[in-house]
Amino acid sequence: MGNLSTLWAACNDMALKQYKPTTPGRRGLVLVERSELHNGKPVKALTKGLTKKGGRNNHGRITARRRGGGAKRSYRMLDFKRRRFETATVERLEYDPNRSGFIALIKYGNGDLSYILAPQRLAPGDTVVAGDRVDVKPGNAMPLSSMPIGTIIHNVEMKPGKGGQIARSAGTYVQLVGRDQGYAILRLTSGEQRLVRAECMATVGAVSNPDN
């Protein structure tokens, strides 16, 4: 009983929301608190339509059974490449129904808007910048060759210019543990070590929504 109370105390410390069992579906329901996120619609110019798959492959045959329905949603186009080497200001954090982590709307000096993956400890009003050599601060992006050894990173490219592919879901991160002959050595949370070209871009910090 003591362990259970300790667990619930830990849950209360985190940004989790518990519900009273007013219906059978609400009994035991615990969700992530999202009150600090933007409550309106996304920026329409940064979204596009999302076709429902219904569990079907490119031949139209069902490959994942009993999948279908759900709420209609639009796809938010995120900047996974971070190749625009300018300073931007975080306008707001948003929920994205297409991924487990939160996203951040950033605004550049000329008024252009863009969506990026929101790292932990990023708040509206903060500034983020991408460049060849920038401060090691959550949300900033730079090549792996410019990062200090031991940096916690996410949204890591596997090929230069392709866009981030590693560590993009909620709470995930990898650690830069070394460099050797033009390659960066990354340690994944599974313990696996992987070699990636040092020119590849990555973003500082761990992905938001770790309670997921």
Side-chain angles (χ1 to χ4, degrees), residues 3-4 19 43 45 54 56 70 77 84 87 123 140 192 196 200:
N3 292 337
L4 187 61
Y19 291 85
V43 178
R56 287 160 175 78
M77 294 180 286
R84 184 165 177 173
T87 303
N140 287 356
E192 175 191 351
V196 175
C200 291

Side-chain angles (χ1 to χ4, degrees), residues 3-189:
N3 292 337
L4 187 61
S5 60
T6 305
L7 175 63
W8 279 112
C11 288
N12 288 327
D13 290 340
M14 294 187 289
L16 297 179
K17 189 176 179 182
Q18 301 169 31
Y19 291 85
K20 292 183 178 180
T22 53
T23 64
R26 286 267 171 122
R27 187 177 300 278
L29 178 63
V30 180
L31 296 178
V32 175
E33 177 71 53
R34 296 203 291 257
S35 59
E36 72 278 2
L37 301 182
H38 174 65
N39 203 20
K41 291 186 177 182
V43 178
K44 192 170 184 180
L46 297 176
T47 62
K48 63 180 180 180
L50 192 65
T51 306
K52 288 189 180 295
K53 305 294 190 296
R56 287 160 175 78
N57 64 5
N58 58 332
H59 296 294
R61 301 195 176 108
I62 292 180
T63 54
R65 290 180 290 176
R66 300 172 184 84
R67 181 171 294 180
K72 189 175 182 180
R73 58 195 188 186
S74 55
Y75 181 76
R76 281 77 165 160
M77 294 180 286
L78 271 66
D79 179 15
F80 291 114
K81 295 186 177 182
R82 300 296 302 274
R83 293 281 173 177
R84 184 165 177 173
F85 290 179
E86 297 178 39
T87 303
T89 305
V90 178
E91 294 287 299
R92 65 196 188 205
L93 301 183
E94 295 186 17
Y95 168 75
D96 187 352
N98 306 296
R99 64 192 72 255
S100 53
F102 301 139
I103 59 176
L105 179 68
I106 61 174
K107 187 175 185 178
Y108 291 97
N110 62 353
D112 289 350
L113 297 173
S114 179
Y115 278 127
I116 63 169
L117 278 176
Q120 296 175 30
R121 297 190 302 279
L122 189 73
D126 292 349
T127 57
V128 293
V129 61
D132 288 324
R133 191 174 294 274
V134 297
D135 293 337
V136 182
K137 197 179 76 170
N140 287 356
M142 60 183 132
L144 293 169
S145 57
S146 302
M147 290 186 175
I149 303 299
T151 306
I152 297 295
I153 52 178
H154 69 280
N155 189 39
V156 186
E157 289 182 331
M158 297 178 72
K159 293 181 180 178
K162 189 175 182 180
Q165 292 177 280
I166 303 176
R168 296 195 334 193
S169 60
T172 56
Y173 62 90
V174 300
Q175 188 174 20
L176 176 64
V177 294
R179 276 188 287 268
D180 184 34
Q181 297 181 351
Y183 283 86
I185 306 170
L186 306 176
R187 183 190 292 133
L188 311 186
T189 47

